[in-house]
Amino acid sequence: MTTMPTTYSDLFYGISPYSWAYTGVGLALGTSIVGAAWGIFITGASLLGASVKAPRIRSKNLISVIFCEAVAIYGVIIAIILQGKISESHFAPGSAEYAKNAFSAYSIFWSGISVGLSNLVCGICVGITGSGCALSDAQTPETFVKILVIEIFGSALGLFGVIVAIIQSGDASFIKN
């Protein structure tokens, strides 16, 4: 007869570690792409609207869209790194090997959450800054380079997320049978 879990730790401990790991990989990829898409949407709408007044800004301000696309690429890179750390093997719950694999899975899960959320925020940040860059460039061309520097700093937020995720998952290694 099986017993029902009595605490949340029993409940979470009963979920396969590989479910946590693969969910982290999926969230890293998915939320990074959503952040990039959101930034491209914000920048693109302002770029198209501002280029009606000043058609010269269309090609110059595409750099903002490229910065947003880089956010999605950060998510793809981390997803590949995290996926490479996962190797499936099955141990009985309660054993030392199962605990090590659970630690590795939780590490990969939270690495995915970290990079995903940082890239989501980074994409929105770069999108809003790119939108402002397009609108101000249409009115005053001298402001383009100044705002572009701020946009580069916003894009660095995604890189910080990637670095944190690499550090978080550094000790993640699954024990093989």
Side-chain angles (χ1 to χ4, degrees):
M1 180 168 150
T2 60
T3 59
M4 297 296 292
T6 57
T7 64
Y8 283 112
S9 76
D10 292 340
L11 180 68
F12 288 129
Y13 198 70
I15 297 172
S16 171
Y18 302 103
S19 296
W20 291 107
Y22 288 124
T23 301
V25 171
L27 286 172
L29 187 61
T31 52
S32 296
I33 291 171
V34 167
W38 201 342
I40 290 170
F41 171 72
I42 295 169
T43 299
S46 297
L47 180 58
L48 288 175
S51 66
V52 171
K53 179 186 182 297
R56 64 175 171 72
I57 71 165
R58 278 187 302 215
S59 61
K60 184 165 65 168
N61 278 284
L62 283 179
I63 190 75
S64 299
V65 174
I66 293 169
F67 281 148
C68 290
E69 289 175 4
V71 172
I73 293 170
Y74 298 156
V76 170
I77 290 169
I78 282 297
I80 291 169
I81 290 172
L82 294 179
Q83 181 71 31
K85 289 182 173 285
I86 300 172
S87 62
E88 292 202 28
S89 58
H90 300 285
F91 294 102
S95 66
E97 293 86 3
Y98 184 87
K100 173 64 176 160
N101 285 353
F103 168 81
S104 299
Y106 298 145
S107 173
I108 289 174
F109 174 76
W110 288 109
S111 296
I113 293 285
S114 296
V115 76
L117 290 178
S118 69
N119 283 337
L120 177 68
V121 172
C122 174
I124 295 169
C125 173
V126 170
I128 291 171
T129 310
S131 172
C133 185
L135 295 173
S136 69
D137 187 27
Q139 292 181 346
T140 313
E142 296 84 31
T143 60
F144 176 74
V145 174
K146 295 173 185 172
I147 297 177
L148 189 65
V149 170
I150 302 301
E151 196 169 354
I152 291 169
F153 287 132
S155 182
L157 293 174
L159 282 176
F160 293 147
V162 169
I163 292 167
V164 166
I166 290 171
I167 292 170
Q168 277 181 322
S169 66
D171 289 337
S173 62
F174 286 85
I175 299 174
K176 298 178 183 177
N177 283 342

